[in-house]
C-alpha cells in the first residue's frame, strides 16, 4: 500500500494529465471512478494500472479488490485527480485497448460522429445489454473520456471497440452491410433483418451526412406513431438496437 | 422593446429566483432557453411571460417571435439569468401548467421517483414521440427545472403532465391499470397489451419499491438477449414505451 500526500508527486501529475485527450493518448490510459464502474471494467478483463482510494475507504477497497495494490491519497488529492462532481473516493486507471483486428469485426453498431459523451456511453451500455459484439466509433467524442466511461457504467470493456474513420470503415467492413438509421423514409426496421450487419447511428443534431447514408447498403427507420424527429439520439439508437439485435425471439 | 441593464432590477432578481424550486413554486413560472426549446413550447401552447435576448440577437428574435415583446439584456445579465453552460443568448419565461383534471388522465407513463433530470426530460420527449397522452410524475426531480425542460427539447408542453404522490395516483387512476416495468421476471411486454394503462418506470438506481410494484396490476419486462440490469433507466423506459405505445401497427 502506497501513500501519496503531495500534489507535486509525478504520479498525481500523470493522473491529472489523463483528464485531457492528449494525456490519454500519450499514456494510453484512462480513468474510471466508483465501485461499480471499476469492478465492471475488471470483470471485462481490462488491464488495470492503479487504484487510488481515500483512507476511510481502504477496508472496503481491500475487500473489493482483494490482493491488488492500493494507493492512498488525501481527500484534497482525490478531488484533484477525480473528474466527478462528487468524487466517490475510489478511482482507477486502466490501459486503453488497441483496436481489435479488422477481420474480427462482428455485427453491431457504428456510432458516427456522436458528440455527446452521455449519448455515446449510453449507446455502448445498451449495446452490451443487447448482446452486441462490436461497436465502431467514427469520429465524434473520445470513448475513453471520463463522461463516456462513466455513462457506460464500465461496460465499455465488454464490446469490441473500434475507432476508425468512415472511409477506413468502408474499406475494412468487408462483406458486412451498413444500415443507416434515419428518422423517416427508410425501410421499416421491424421488417428488416439487419442483425448480421452494422447499424449506423448519426450525430445528435445533424444526423448522418447524406454522403455517408448513400454509402450504406440500406436505410432503416423506426416505425412510430408520434413524431420521429423528437427522439434523443441515444434513445433512437437504443430502440433500433433493441429491434435489430436485442429482442429475444 | 424593453432594455434592462442592471443586475439590481427586480425582474432580474425574479428570473434568478426561478433557478430554484422554491422560486418556481412561488411564481409558478419556469425558464426555457434556446430557439428550438422556446418555439417548441410556444407550439405546445404554453403561456409565455417574457422573452429575453442579447442585443445582437434582436433581429433574429423579432423574426422568430413576431409581435411578442422582447426584453434586451446585456451579455453579463444573460449569463446571470441563464442556467446553460454556454448561454445561447435567448431565454424565455413560461407559466407552469396546473395539473389537468384527474378524470382526464389518459394512458401513458408514470415516472416514479426518477431523480436524474436528463432521464426525466428524455422520457418525456420519448413519450411525445410515441404519441403518449399522459405523463405522471411521482416524486423525483422537479419537471419544471432547467435541465428537465431542456432535455425535453420543449416537448414538455405536449403531454398532460400530472404531479402527484403514489397513493394519490392509486386513488385517482380509476379503472386504468398500472404496469410495473421491472428488469427481469415480469410478463413479456411484447406480449402484453398495456397501451390502455399506465406504464410505471422506477428510479435509476433503486428501481420501483417492492410495495409499489405489488400495487400494480401487472409486472412487465423487456425481453432481451443480453443483460437487462445494464440498461440506463431512460433507455429501458423508452424501449418499453416504444413496445407498449409507440410502434406503428
Amino acid at each position: 500500500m502506497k501513500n501519496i500526500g503531495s500534489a507535486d508527486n509525478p504520479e498525481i501529475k500523470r493522473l491529472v494529465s489523463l483528464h485531457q485527450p492528449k494525456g490519454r493518448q500519450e499514456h494510453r490510459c484512462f480513468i474510471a471512478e466508483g465501485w461499480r464502474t471499476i469492478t465492471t471494467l475488471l470483470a471485462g478483463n481490462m488491464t488495470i494500472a492503479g487504484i487510488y482510494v481515500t483512507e476511510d475507504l481502504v477496508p472496503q477497497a481491500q475487500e473489493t479488490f482483494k490482493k491488488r495494490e492500493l494507493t492512498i491519497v488525501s481527500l484534497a488529492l482525490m478531488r484533484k485527480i477525480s473528474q466527478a462532481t462528487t468524487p466517490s473516493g475510489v478511482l482507477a486507471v486502466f490501459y486503453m485497448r488497441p483496436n481489435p483486428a479488422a477481420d474480427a469485426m462482428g455485427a453491431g453498431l457504428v456510432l458516427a460522429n456522436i458528440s455527446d459523451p452521455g449519448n455515446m456511453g449510453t449507446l455502448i451500455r445498451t449495446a452490451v445489454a443487447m448482446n452486441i459484439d462490436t461497436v465502431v466509433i467514427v469520429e465524434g467524442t473520445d470513448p475513453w473520456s471520463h463522461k463516456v466511461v462513466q455513462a457506460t457504467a464500465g461496460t465499455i470493456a465488454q464490446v469490441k471497440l473500434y475507432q476508425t474513420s468512415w472511409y477506413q470503415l468502408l474499406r475494412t467492413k468487408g462483406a458486412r452491410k451498413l444500415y443507416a438509421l434515419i428518422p423517416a423514409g427508410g425501410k421499416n426496421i421491424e421488417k428488416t433483418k439487419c442483425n448480421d450487419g452494422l447499424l449506423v447511428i448519426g450525430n445528435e443534431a445533424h444526423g448522418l451526412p447524406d454522403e455517408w447514408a448513400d454509402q450504406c447498403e440500406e436505410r432503416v427507420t423506426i416505425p412510430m406513431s408520434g413524431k420521429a424527429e423528437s427522439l434523443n439520439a441515444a434513445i433512437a439508437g437504443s430502440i433500433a438496437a433493441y429491434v435489430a439485435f436485442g429482442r429475444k425471439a
Side-chain angles (χ1 to χ4, degrees), chain A:
Chain A
M1 209 140 48
K2 280 195 306 185
N3 206 312
I4 302 183
S6 158
D8 293 330
N9 185 299
E11 196 168 332
I12 296 296
K13 289 187 174 164
R14 199 171 64 234
L15 287 169
V16 172
S17 81
L18 300 180
H19 294 187
Q20 302 303 327
K22 185 166 167 279
R24 289 194 290 272
Q25 281 310 317
E26 188 184 333
H27 297 290
R28 302 294 302 162
C29 280
F30 69 96
I31 287 175
E33 302 195 39
W35 303 103
R36 181 183 172 183
T37 303
I38 297 171
T39 53
T40 305
L41 286 166
L42 286 170
N45 291 317
M46 292 297 275
T47 309
I48 199 160
I51 303 176
Y52 303 81
V53 286
T54 51
E55 186 136 27
D56 54 317
L57 296 178
V58 168
Q60 192 182 344
Q62 284 176 324
E63 173 70 24
T64 307
F65 302 119
K66 307 292 179 205
K67 288 181 179 154
R68 293 179 196 276
E69 201 196 12
L70 303 174
T71 301
I72 305 175
V73 294
S74 68
L75 204 57
L77 279 190
M78 180 56 81
R79 286 210 190 90
K80 200 174 160 69
I81 61 178
S82 168
Q83 290 184 270
T85 321
T86 9
S88 61
V90 57
L91 181 151
V93 173
F94 287 89
Y95 291 101
M96 289 179 192
R97 285 204 189 120
N99 269 0
D103 58 11
M105 192 179 277
L109 303 185
V110 177
L111 309 186
N113 212 1
I114 294 289
S115 64
D116 179 84
N119 283 343
M120 183 180 284
T122 302
L123 284 165
I124 294 171
R125 184 174 167 186
T126 300
V128 171
M130 302 301 171
N131 237 354
I132 289 171
D133 170 68
T134 289
V135 175
V136 183
I137 310 286
V138 174
E139 301 174 18
T141 196
D142 178 2
W144 302 108
S145 71
H146 172 75
K147 285 188 180 167
V148 175
V149 170
Q150 299 304 127
T152 72
T155 61
I156 193 167
Q158 292 167 37
V159 283
K160 277 187 277 179
L161 194 78
Y162 294 81
Q163 278 191 272
T164 185
S165 71
W166 180 257
Y167 297 100
Q168 186 63 25
L169 173 63
L170 292 180
R171 277 195 296 275
T172 53
K173 75 181 184 68
R176 207 167 284 286
K177 286 185 185 169
L178 295 174
Y179 296 86
L181 179 64
I182 58 172
K187 232 176 121 175
N188 182 343
I189 193 171
E190 294 271 358
K191 294 173 181 166
T192 312
K193 191 182 154 2
C194 46
N195 64 354
D196 57 344
L198 289 160
L199 181 65
V200 185
I201 298 158
N203 176 269
E204 294 84 341
H206 313 294
L208 273 183
D210 283 343
E211 196 195 337
W212 294 10
D214 286 346
Q215 288 163 332
C216 293
E217 276 79 3
E218 192 89 69
R219 293 171 192 234
V220 291
T221 290
I222 301 168
M224 286 198 310
S225 53
K227 296 169 208 132
E229 67 278 20
S230 68
L231 276 183
N232 162 295
I235 300 294
S238 293
I239 291 175
Y242 169 74
V243 171
F245 296 95
R247 195 161 40 189
K248 240 189 243 157

